[in-house]
Amino acid sequence: MTEERPAGTPVLRRMNRAAVLDAVRRRAPEPVRVAELVRLTELTRPTVAQAVEDLLAAGWLRQVAPEQATVGRPATRFSLNGRAAPVLALDVGPHTVTVGIADLAGERLATIRRPVGRRGARHLLEAVDEATGAALAAAGLTAGQIAAVTAATPGIVEVTTGRVLFAPSVPGWPEIDLAGRLRARFRCAVTVENDANLAALAAVHRRAGAGTLLAVQWGERLGAGVVIDGRLHRGAGQAGEIGFIRPTTALPDPATNLPDPAGDLPGPAGDLPGPAGDLPNLAGDLPGPASGLPDPAGDLPDPVGDGRGPLERAIGAEAIVDLARRRAEGRPESRLARVTDAAAVFSAAADGDPMAVAVVDRVAAVFAEAIAPAVLVLSPHAIVIGGGIARAGAVLLDAIARHLAGLVLTPPSVELSELAEGTVLTGAIQLALEEVWRDTLAGC
């Protein structure tokens, strides 16, 4: 039954406008007719027509050319005016800054990616400013036209203030008030959030149903976001920092063929060590048990000085390349002797190269063993892997699933994010749009 609501009272007119605008939003980017809005909102046709007129005048809607009808007069259609409230998102990383601008309907207006020339907070801020200016110019917008900003950053972020409390990958970053700088420039709502958390929000947004999700962001660094029943779980503020998990399985020295105690990991010239955890750390890059766990106050077991945690140093993208090269030492004919990035290692494994297959299998085994306790505690419905490693394909996915199956009670689905490196930026745009819609629908 159509709900009768008086259209003349200011409060009721505002409620009707919000209902109609929300209905148009849910159908975006497809335009809708008044008759459809009547059905979606359960308001009377005169009430919907008045709300549409108000929203057109306010700039939230635009009229779309009517469809060519076969019989009778074609119906006028309406859609969101995306430029009424565009949003800006930043993916701030130690080596790269990416800025995206999207309209109200989520359509991307500009994407700019800039490398960070030198390590440190000052150089990172320079890249943020340059990339932001270039994105605004590409979208044909000014800072004053941006309705909301979300910035993704590495490290631990204080939710209430947006201050970065701990970011070992960027020296001096916690001393920078990124949220304050962005608010001063854009004069709008600004949110600063951990990059892996935003990747998790993007991943859950693309999946049907809520459930529990462990979204892993895997590139040179490793982090994770935890979503439980559709809501981001932060814990005491450090949930998902899997890069600081200490692997109990030492990665093998590729020049040495050690026996595999488990007997199930084939190597090209001998078996690689299994997950017995009692092998020496021949690579010399994993801190031992006496090093202690990372201290958020700053006392990290960081012998290299790059701010990376033990798991990141063991199976991050650079570590995968290093392992592959060392595996091919003395064998210049191997494809692994020439690899420059992790993608080449996975490509060689997909083509059946036995050395590459063994390297990928060992990386998968270390990852599975590291993540298994979290799986046992959370019992997630799925593990979604984003970041550069998400382009690895089935060769890594299958190996992780196989190793994880032997370590947990109920293995979750293991998936690679189709967004890959764009996962964080997508999540940041989604969060900024949610901020705009929350304010818009409340004050419409």
Side-chain angles (χ1 to χ4, degrees):
M1 172 180 288
T2 301
E3 181 180 347
E4 295 290 343
R5 296 182 188 172
T9 307
V11 173
L12 290 174
R13 286 186 66 168
R14 188 162 61 246
M15 292 172 59
N16 295 334
R17 286 195 297 269
V20 169
L21 185 58
D22 189 47
V24 177
R25 173 179 71 112
R26 295 180 185 281
R27 288 291 302 272
E30 294 297 321
V32 292
R33 302 185 302 273
V34 169
E36 293 175 291
L37 292 173
V38 169
R39 177 177 56 82
L40 293 170
T41 62
E42 297 187 341
L43 297 170
T44 63
R45 187 179 185 90
T47 299
V48 169
Q50 179 64 63
V52 167
E53 184 178 332
D54 292 345
L55 292 168
L56 285 169
W60 289 105
L61 298 184
R62 63 185 180 89
Q63 189 169 315
V64 179
E67 293 178 312
Q68 293 300 318
T70 56
V71 179
R73 182 180 176 182
T76 302
R77 299 178 300 160
F78 304 93
S79 67
L80 287 176
N81 176 15
R83 286 182 174 262
V87 300
L88 184 142
L90 300 97
D91 179 4
V92 182
H95 307 294
T96 306
V97 173
T98 306
V99 178
I101 297 178
D103 69 12
L104 195 58
E107 295 295 318
R108 198 72 62 91
L109 302 177
T111 303
I112 298 294
R113 184 181 177 90
R114 292 289 186 266
V116 180
R118 297 172 60 187
R119 189 166 179 245
R122 181 172 65 84
H123 301 291
L124 189 55
L125 277 177
E126 291 173 355
V128 167
D129 290 340
E130 197 279 327
T132 300
L136 288 170
L141 297 169
T142 65
Q145 292 175 286
I146 298 298
V149 174
T150 297
T153 175
I156 297 170
V157 179
E158 187 175 49
V159 178
T160 54
T161 65
R163 294 297 298 255
V164 179
L165 302 178
F166 176 63
S169 62
V170 184
W173 196 234
E175 282 73 52
I176 301 298
D177 183 8
L178 179 62
R181 289 175 63 94
L182 292 172
R183 289 189 187 103
R185 180 171 186 177
F186 290 97
R187 305 291 181 181
C188 66
V190 172
T191 302
V192 177
E193 179 59 272
N194 172 266
D195 50 7
N197 284 345
L198 290 170
L201 292 176
V204 77
H205 183 76
R206 300 180 74 89
R207 290 178 56 86
T212 299
L213 183 71
L214 185 63
V216 176
Q217 195 66 8
W218 190 353
E220 292 184 16
R221 306 186 67 89
L222 278 93
V226 182
V227 177
I228 300 175
D229 292 333
R231 298 177 64 87
L232 187 65
H233 174 72
R234 292 184 176 87
Q238 302 173 29
E241 293 293 336
I242 64 171
F244 294 99
I245 293 175
R246 191 178 312 283
T248 58
T249 301
L251 288 173
D253 182 342
T256 306
N257 295 319
L258 297 172
D260 170 23
D264 57 358
L265 298 179
D271 290 338
L272 296 176
D278 56 354
L279 295 172
N281 176 18
L282 300 174
D285 58 358
L286 296 181
S291 301
L293 295 174
D295 177 5
D299 297 327
L300 286 172
D302 186 12
V304 181
D306 59 3
R308 297 181 185 179
L311 189 62
E312 293 169 328
R313 194 164 293 117
I315 58 171
E318 288 184 4
I320 293 172
V321 172
D322 183 62
L323 179 62
R325 286 176 175 173
R326 288 186 287 120
R327 190 72 176 91
E329 285 180 1
R331 303 181 186 184
E333 75 285 354
S334 170
R335 288 173 61 177
L336 296 192
R338 303 181 298 278
V339 297
T340 58
D341 55 34
V345 179
F346 295 119
S347 177
D351 292 340
D353 182 287
M355 285 188 184
V357 169
V359 169
V360 172
D361 192 79
R362 174 45 51 202
V363 169
V366 173
F367 175 79
E369 185 177 351
I371 209 75
V375 173
L376 288 168
V377 170
L378 295 173
S379 188
H381 294 86
I383 298 173
V384 179
I385 299 173
I389 300 300
R391 300 193 183 279
V395 65
L396 176 65
L397 202 67
D398 294 345
I400 290 174
R402 174 166 46 82
H403 285 290
L404 195 58
L407 298 170
V408 300
L409 299 176
T410 304
S413 168
V414 183
E415 307 167 9
L416 299 177
S417 171
E418 60 189 57
L419 297 170
E421 294 97 330
T423 306
V424 172
L425 192 67
T426 298
I429 288 174
Q430 289 172 358
L431 194 61
L433 285 171
E434 288 175 7
E435 178 72 27
V436 169
W437 280 112
R438 185 164 49 248
D439 291 345
T440 299
L441 295 177
C444 191

